[in-house]
Amino acid sequence: NGWLNGRGQIKGEHRAELLRLRLDARCSIEAAADYAKANVQQFQRAGIKIGEDPSRFAQLAYLGHHLGAGDAIDFLTSGVGADRARKLLCAQIGTKEAS
């Protein structure tokens, strides 16, 4: 649609138009599916086994959505230390609730 510049960034004059797509159910569903697929592909490149079980894919997609691929890979391969876990929990639910 010509919304991006040569560096792949959103042109300012198209920002509002692009943000309106958040309200489009089809665009939202497809964006979430694309994000899940990209995260799971990163997991595979990191050596994490996905298998053929759709439940496993869904679990990993959910984990990637909430933690981001990098933290999810760390969690799946070596766990998350107490300090990092606290930081993630505080970011998710707030410091007061985490305490």
Side-chain angles (χ1 to χ4, degrees):
N1 292 328
W3 294 345
L4 304 178
N5 64 22
R7 297 186 329 211
Q9 297 171 326
I10 301 165
K11 294 177 184 174
E13 66 269 20
H14 295 292
R15 182 173 168 76
E17 188 176 0
L18 184 60
L19 286 174
R20 276 195 294 278
L21 292 177
R22 295 177 299 172
L23 305 176
D24 181 302
R26 182 180 176 138
C27 287
S28 294
I29 290 167
E30 289 178 0
D34 287 344
Y35 184 56
K37 181 180 176 184
N39 281 336
V40 171
Q41 286 172 336
Q42 286 187 51
F43 299 159
Q44 288 174 311
R45 285 192 295 276
I48 296 167
K49 302 288 185 210
I50 307 302
E52 300 296 321
D53 180 12
S55 294
R56 172 78 172 158
F57 184 94
Q59 290 168 345
L60 292 173
Y62 182 85
L63 187 64
H65 178 83
H66 287 282
L67 292 183
D71 282 327
I73 289 168
D74 288 346
F75 174 76
L76 292 166
T77 58
S78 59
V80 176
D83 289 340
R84 183 69 180 150
R86 175 166 284 292
K87 183 175 182 179
L88 292 171
L89 182 61
C90 290
Q92 288 285 326
I93 66 171
T95 303
K96 181 179 176 183
E97 290 78 5
S99 294

